[in-house]
Amino acid sequence: MDTIKQLIKLVICLLVGVVIGLAVGGLIVVGLSDTTFTDYFSNLTGADWIQMCVGIIAAIVSLAVSVPLLVVIHEAGHLVCGLLSGYRFVSFRIFSYTFIRFEGKIRVKRFSLAGTGGQCLLSPPELPLAEIPTGWYNLGGVLANVLALIAVAPLLLLKAHPLLDTFVVVFCLTDIVLILLNGIPLKINGMGNDAYNAMLLRKNLRSKRGLILQLRTNALIQEGVRPKDMPDEWFEVPPTVNYGNALEVSVPLMRASRLLDMEKWEDAYREFSDIYSHKDKIMGIYVKETACELVFTALLTGRLDEAGALLDRDLRKYIEMYRRIMSSKERLLCAIDLFLDNDRAGASAIYEHLKATSDRYLLQGEVKSDMALMDQMLSVES
């Protein structure tokens, strides 16, 4: 069944690629000649199919090259503008490949986040919250994409070669899409884009605090610091939280994760349970992460039926998808084997595997925490 689904997806992708290729080819022909769209499409039946296939392939290859190139340009814009604003480099991710500074050296590790093609994370300057600049850091990516468009678009005037023209058109169209997606304030899957966050952070100090705390805790976790060893005041949650605001929700999530790291199982369970009760307002990735930790704390507090009910097929698939890049998923699978499946050998094997491969994970502070929690679980059960 899964093979059939993959085959159907492949066929659909190929068909979409053909349609995109024909459409882009039409734009190129109409833009660079006196041909109208009507003439272009009426001549397709009598066209040279070899030439047409070359054009389609060129458009698809151009798209495949343009997307990662523009992601690099976008994230580089965040990096440059962030550094100019006083931020410190933490990591630079393109798809799942992440460049980090660790012990004075640049290392490459694997990490990914649903809904993002790249991410540039910096540590904010040590200033009072109201004085920390956020505008240029957020809008640097859009600015870089605009500059790339200005630099590349004039190449169309050269009319040097049809293949080069194809690449330039595809590059520019893709860049325009990215500029619009990031430059017009909107939410995508519950996550604010660059322009939305830039506007929000100017007028909402709670959102700004959430972003700054995320950046600071992330920087320390990548350096190997556990949440329990971070300042208490970072994890103070305001009396009210707007659960539709991803930046505000991040604070109670960080607090709950810290309680987990401190082995305060009941307190952590209550925090995650409260957050999960607002799942209809929270963006999808946060819902999944909260569900994972709710399962974990339910297992450690003896709520086996609740944990089993939460572990549906969708959540198990999510856990498997991220276990190779997030050590917290290995910790969860260890707890499932130990408490739900009564498979101590399987739980021990997961622990030993994580111990042997711990260096490959990006979030080393999280790895230390997960290893300590797994060690505690296994020692109690022995």
Side-chain angles (χ1 to χ4, degrees):
M1 182 63 69
D2 289 337
T3 303
I4 295 176
K5 289 182 178 179
Q6 293 298 323
L7 181 59
I8 292 173
K9 288 181 180 179
L10 178 60
V11 172
I12 291 174
C13 288
L14 288 173
L15 291 175
V16 170
V18 170
V19 172
I20 292 174
L22 290 173
V24 172
L27 288 172
I28 295 170
V29 171
V30 172
L32 300 180
S33 68
D34 296 329
T35 306
T36 65
F37 276 109
T38 302
D39 294 334
Y40 171 75
F41 286 108
S42 65
N43 290 332
L44 281 180
T45 55
D48 183 338
W49 283 100
I50 295 179
Q51 184 178 358
M52 184 182 296
C53 288
V54 170
I56 293 172
I57 292 172
I60 295 174
V61 170
S62 296
L63 183 63
V65 173
S66 296
V67 171
L69 182 57
L70 285 166
V71 169
V72 171
I73 291 171
H74 183 88
E75 298 306 327
H78 285 303
L79 175 62
V80 172
C81 289
L83 293 175
L84 291 175
S85 299
Y87 287 68
R88 179 175 63 85
F89 175 80
V90 175
S91 65
F92 188 89
R93 177 171 62 85
I94 302 299
F95 300 111
S96 64
Y97 293 93
T98 306
F99 300 84
I100 67 168
R101 188 196 303 275
F102 187 75
E103 297 180 347
K105 298 180 180 180
I106 299 297
R107 302 181 63 182
V108 180
K109 297 197 175 186
R110 299 292 296 274
F111 186 79
S112 63
L113 184 65
T116 62
Q119 195 173 37
C120 173
L121 292 179
L122 307 176
S123 182
E126 294 297 330
L127 296 170
L129 180 63
E131 298 178 18
I132 297 176
T134 57
W136 284 110
Y137 178 28
N138 276 280
L139 295 177
V142 175
L143 176 61
N145 286 134
V146 170
L147 293 176
L149 182 63
I150 294 172
V152 173
L155 294 177
L156 281 174
L157 300 176
L158 299 178
K159 297 183 179 180
H161 191 281
L163 292 180
L164 176 61
D165 292 338
T166 299
F167 174 77
V168 173
V169 169
V170 171
F171 181 92
C172 291
L173 290 175
T174 307
D175 199 12
I176 290 170
V177 170
L178 289 177
I179 291 170
L180 294 176
L181 286 177
N182 289 284
I184 298 176
L186 51 84
K187 281 187 174 183
I188 302 174
N189 296 326
M191 185 182 298
N193 67 357
D194 293 338
Y196 181 91
N197 287 334
M199 290 182 60
L200 181 66
L201 295 172
R202 288 182 60 188
K203 57 184 180 181
N204 190 325
L205 277 181
R206 284 190 180 181
S207 296
K208 187 174 183 178
R209 177 173 179 262
L211 173 66
I212 297 304
L213 289 178
Q214 280 189 69
L215 294 174
R216 284 179 173 160
T217 56
N218 181 81
L220 290 179
I221 289 173
Q222 287 193 27
E223 292 170 4
V225 180
R226 292 174 58 174
K228 72 180 186 67
D229 298 322
M230 297 179 192
D232 293 338
E233 60 270 19
W234 286 9
F235 302 90
E236 294 176 358
V237 178
T240 59
V241 176
N242 177 6
Y243 288 92
N245 183 325
L247 294 176
E248 285 194 42
V249 177
S250 66
V251 179
L253 273 173
M254 287 187 289
R255 172 181 167 81
S257 296
R258 187 171 188 252
L259 289 170
L260 192 65
D261 190 30
M262 297 169 72
E263 299 183 14
K264 295 184 177 182
W265 312 126
E266 281 291 342
D267 291 341
Y269 169 80
R270 285 194 294 270
E271 293 276 350
F272 283 119
S273 183
D274 180 63
I275 296 169
Y276 195 68
S277 67
H278 301 278
K279 63 180 180 180
D280 57 322
K281 302 176 184 177
I282 301 172
M283 69 177 185
I285 188 71
Y286 280 0
V287 173
K288 287 286 195 299
E289 285 298 309
T290 303
C292 287
E293 300 300 26
L294 189 54
V295 169
F296 182 78
T297 52
L299 289 172
L300 267 69
T301 56
R303 298 174 171 90
L304 303 188
D305 290 341
E306 180 179 351
L310 284 167
L311 270 173
D312 57 16
R313 181 180 179 182
D314 187 46
L315 189 61
R316 286 182 181 272
K317 184 177 180 180
Y318 175 82
I319 295 167
E320 287 294 331
M321 182 186 303
Y322 284 99
R323 68 181 299 187
R324 301 305 177 196
I325 56 176
M326 298 175 70
S327 61
S328 61
K329 303 303 173 282
E330 295 285 75
R331 184 242 302 157
L332 175 55
L333 289 169
C334 178
I336 292 171
D337 275 1
L338 192 61
F339 297 106
L340 203 60
D341 299 337
N342 295 314
D343 182 4
R344 184 175 181 80
S348 297
I350 292 173
Y351 171 78
E352 293 299 332
H353 176 73
L354 178 58
K355 186 177 181 180
T357 61
S358 60
D359 186 59
R360 77 182 186 191
Y361 289 90
L362 174 65
L363 305 175
Q364 284 297 301
E366 182 178 276
V367 173
K368 291 181 180 179
S369 172
D370 293 329
M371 290 292 298
L373 297 180
M374 292 165 73
D375 187 64
Q376 175 68 11
M377 286 189 297
L378 292 166
S379 63
V380 169
E381 285 291 304
S382 60

